[in-house]
Amino acid sequence: MTEHTPFSSFDEAKAEAFAHRLVGALNAGALSLMTSLGHRSGLFDVLADLPGATSQALADKANLAERYVREWLGVMVTSEVVAYDPTAQTYRLPPEHAAFLTRAASPNNIAVTSQFIGVAAAVEEEMLARFQDGAGTHYHHYDRFHEVMGEDSAQTVVAALIDHILPIVPGLRERLEEGIDVADMGCGGGWAMLHLAETFPASRFTGVDLCADAFDAAQTEARQKGLTNLTYTQQDLSTVEQLGTYDLVTAFDAIHDQKDPQGALDLIFNALKEGGVFLMQDIGGSRDLQVNIQNPFAPLLYTISLMHCTPISVGQGGPGLGAMWGVETAQEFLTRAGFGQIEMLRLPHDPINAYFVARP
Ligand SMILES: C[S@@+](CC[C@H](N)C(=O)[O-])C[C@H]1O[C@@H](n2cnc3c(N)ncnc32)[C@H](O)[C@@H]1O
């Protein structure tokens, strides 16, 4: 029998490489948080507008304190996001970087998504306590969740609705032009319904969400625009006996963190009119951890799941399926709700989510 100690196979080179990776992760984490700050402060937009500017000129244009702007620029230069001319002490955001960091770059502005890092970090204390007692969280624990979610889905959902998402249901655009009834479950910010209500004035739209504050801004905008074909309703889907009846029901990233995901799908199934269709977008991961090792977004998705999706469901008394409930579970739940025809698609504009077209 050969003697075996835990250290007998310690690979120095492997350990060294891992330490390097962890240092890289520290820097990447720092850069993500600073990317969020750069987006929120408008600094990336100003950098793109003023190539070759000093920190003072950038601060003046952004209406910010130069001392802090200079420190932030230190992060961006040493992370090789921003180019620096040491002689002139000026800064430049290369156009290839601006293409993923500025408001003008939307819907490809990855700085928008970086805000989830701050949202997650803000509940670290709360989650540390929840690790101990296993209880859940509630929406009031997250200062900016709905705002960031709305901004993110403005890129992945709203901007893609007409050209990428609606076409996956043949004939849907024509039906919307003629006039149908549409409801969006877990509508959050409510921007998808606002966009559709403006685009298809003959159709009628309803946004449903647990949190009225989530769709407050869209509701105000709809009122200001005089949209009479759009309503928002505050409703807990787990306590509703029956929704209205609709030709199209949508749910964008809104089933897995419900109190009762299966119950919500059952409700949706029962709310469809004859010939109706359910269009669901949800995280396109697998429930098999081993499969997710290949998913380049998996660490981010598990983090958002742990810090938000899972405890939010648990906090409502739900099962806490998490964002990585998996397309396999989604398909099983849809089948259990009664859907007989389920098609799952991946859309090129959105590498994170899967899209399901389900009919009775
Ligand atoms: C991840 S967000 C997605 C929001 C929106 N669809 C979007 O794409 O931006 C999930 C939404 O589901 C809503 N939600 C969670 N539990 C709910 C419940 N029990 N009843 C109704 N809505 C619920 C949340 O308030 C939240 O707005």
Side-chain angles (χ1 to χ4, degrees), residues 111-129:
V112 167
T113 311
S114 73
Q115 295 175 96
F116 279 117
I117 302 298
V119 169
V123 290
E124 186 180 349
E125 284 305 303
E126 184 66 30
M127 278 314 297
L128 188 60

Side-chain angles (χ1 to χ4, degrees), residues 139 145-146 148-154 156-157 184-192 208-212 214 234-240 251-260 281 308-309 312-313 316:
Y139 281 97
F145 175 76
H146 290 303
V148 172
M149 187 71 225
E151 205 180 335
D152 197 57
S153 64
T156 53
V157 177
D184 186 26
M185 299 302 147
C187 69
W191 302 108
V208 178
D209 202 279
L210 175 69
C211 306
Q234 188 274 322
Q235 242 170 2
D236 178 347
L237 288 175
S238 69
T239 63
V240 178
F252 298 106
D253 193 13
I255 298 299
H256 66 262
D257 53 9
Q258 290 280 320
K259 174 176 178 182
D260 181 5
Q281 175 226 46
H308 181 268
C309 312
I312 270 293
S313 171
Q316 294 186 60

Side-chain angles (χ1 to χ4, degrees), residues 15-76:
E16 183 79 358
F18 182 63
H20 275 286
R21 234 189 85 204
L22 288 182
V23 172
L26 287 175
N27 283 329
L31 177 60
S32 286
L33 189 60
M34 292 303 102
T35 298
S36 173
L37 195 60
H39 170 68
R40 297 183 66 194
S41 63
L43 272 167
F44 286 125
D45 305 308
V46 165
L47 269 163
D49 284 352
L50 291 184
T54 62
S55 56
Q56 188 64 60
L58 291 164
D60 289 347
K61 175 93 186 212
N63 208 12
L64 298 169
E66 188 276 339
R67 178 67 196 94
Y68 295 139
V69 169
R70 186 156 31 98
E71 211 66 5
W72 178 84
L73 286 164
V75 180
M76 293 299 144

